[in-house]
Amino acid sequence: MSQQPAPDRPAPAQATPGQTTSAEAMPPEVTSTEATPDRTALGAAESDAPHLDFDGTTPYEDYVRASVLTHLQHPLSDDPGEMVFLVTTQVMELWFTVIVHEWHTAALALREDDLPTAMAALQRSTYELESLNASWAPLAHLTPGQFNAYRSALGEGSGFQSAMYRRLEFLLGEKSASMLVPHRGAPQVHAELEKALTEPSLYDEVLRYLARRGLDVPASVLDRDPTRRYEPDPGVERVWEEIYSGPPDSELIRLGEALTEVAELVWRWRNDHLVATRRAMGAKTGTGGSAGVAWLEKRASKTVFPELWTARSHV
């Protein structure tokens, strides 16, 4: 006897070509854990997110004072290039500040015969000098027309009036009491510069350190007036000649090389300044009344830590 399909179980519908049945169109059954987000994963993601809700200003703002830094720009012309000039100059001032800090740290460490601390500060300053020198890039290709578009906004302002740069030069031994004159109207700045003028330079501290290590640094150099510009001395040249003629892995040679790196980067800074100025304004008088390029050429010809360079001819 043949069996008939149960009346409550109709046969599946047949699909025509190119058509799917309702059963075929149904997605696979999913579990509740697959259909809803993983709350554990969501909680972990939320816990990884930075803290965004603060009662007052952000801790970053409190520490960096970014809103102060980014609102210090007040261009005096309508030329968009002035903003670039202004910010670049302010960035340079910040680099002057940190480099002065490093060299002051190195000088104090040498005074305490702490060579490792001094070396660390000198080496850090070379990276900072490289960043300072790179700051010329936005200004190094100004045409005369581009510079003239906002030059009048500078008035009599000039980089040589920078108090922090003056402190940097004083630490290098480039002392001059006349450079305090522009700052007489700012008592605190003038007092800081006057103090820096009367203190031994970084190089003075280096030579005193070498003398305490038994090297024959001339007494006239050790006892010199620290307010005067450092002048090369043949006795100091002989000291560096002796150091560089000694063991090649000497810590004093490493000190000499760290100072040489600083000196070279300062020389590059001065020359980059000269080239940028020459491109932007040629031989015209400088904004502060200086001879412009002629003044910068004179500055660029000066050697920092001179005997470190001349002694090499005798090794």
Side-chain angles (χ1 to χ4, degrees), residues 53-221:
D53 189 14
F54 302 99
D55 291 335
T57 56
T58 65
Y60 176 84
E61 171 61 30
D62 293 340
Y63 183 69
V64 178
R65 306 291 298 277
S67 64
V68 175
L69 289 172
T70 55
H71 288 80
L72 290 174
Q73 297 75 41
H74 304 286
L76 300 178
S77 75
D78 295 328
D79 188 89
E82 187 190 351
M83 186 67 166
V84 180
F85 182 88
L86 187 53
V87 171
T88 301
T89 304
Q90 290 174 339
V91 167
M92 289 178 177
E93 285 290 332
L94 292 174
W95 282 125
F96 296 158
T97 302
V98 73
I99 292 166
V100 165
H101 168 75
E102 300 287 26
W103 292 349
H104 188 63
T105 298
L108 292 179
L110 288 168
R111 194 178 301 173
E112 299 297 326
D113 295 330
D114 182 359
L115 185 58
T117 296
M119 286 291 292
L122 289 172
Q123 288 167 350
R124 285 194 304 268
S125 79
T126 62
Y127 309 138
E128 293 146 8
L129 280 163
E130 288 173 349
S131 296
L132 169 65
N133 293 358
S135 299
W136 282 116
L139 308 179
H141 298 89
L142 287 174
T143 65
Q146 290 169 333
F147 183 50
N148 287 338
Y150 57 81
R151 187 188 183 195
S152 61
L154 306 181
E156 291 188 290
S158 175
F160 84 86
Q161 298 161 6
S162 165
M164 194 57 69
Y165 182 70
R166 192 55 47 205
R167 288 179 63 181
L168 184 150
E169 289 276 11
F170 283 0
L171 275 166
L172 293 174
E174 191 64 28
K175 302 286 189 77
S176 174
S178 65
M179 287 301 179
L180 272 63
V181 174
H183 307 283
R184 288 179 299 187
Q188 182 177 344
V189 172
H190 188 274
E192 290 171 353
L193 278 173
E194 191 169 41
K195 182 174 182 292
L197 179 71
T198 59
E199 291 177 336
S201 70
L202 169 61
Y203 198 45
D204 288 329
E205 295 292 3
V206 167
L207 297 178
R208 293 177 182 185
Y209 173 76
L210 295 179
R212 291 194 298 275
R213 292 286 296 261
L215 289 148
D216 190 19
V217 180
S220 59
V221 173

Side-chain angles (χ1 to χ4, degrees), residues 1 4 10 15-17 27 52 91 104 142 151 153 169 175 198 206 217 221-222 237 242-243 260 279 283 290 308:
M1 198 171 156
Q4 299 294 325
T16 58
L52 301 177
V91 167
H104 188 63
L142 287 174
R151 187 188 183 195
E169 289 276 11
K175 302 286 189 77
T198 59
V206 167
V217 180
V221 173
L222 297 174
E237 182 184 86
E242 179 182 346
I243 290 171
T260 302
R279 289 188 67 146
S290 74
L308 268 167

Side-chain angles (χ1 to χ4, degrees), residues 216 218 221 230-241 307 310:
D216 190 19
V221 173
Y230 181 83
E231 298 294 342
D233 186 279
V236 173
E237 182 184 86
R238 287 191 292 272
V239 166
W240 285 116
E241 178 185 350
E307 299 92 348
T310 58

Side-chain angles (χ1 to χ4, degrees), residues 262-276:
V262 166
E264 179 179 334
L265 288 166
V266 170
W267 177 81
R268 291 184 184 279
W269 154 265
R270 291 172 176 172
N271 276 273
D272 287 351
H273 188 182
L274 169 62
V275 172

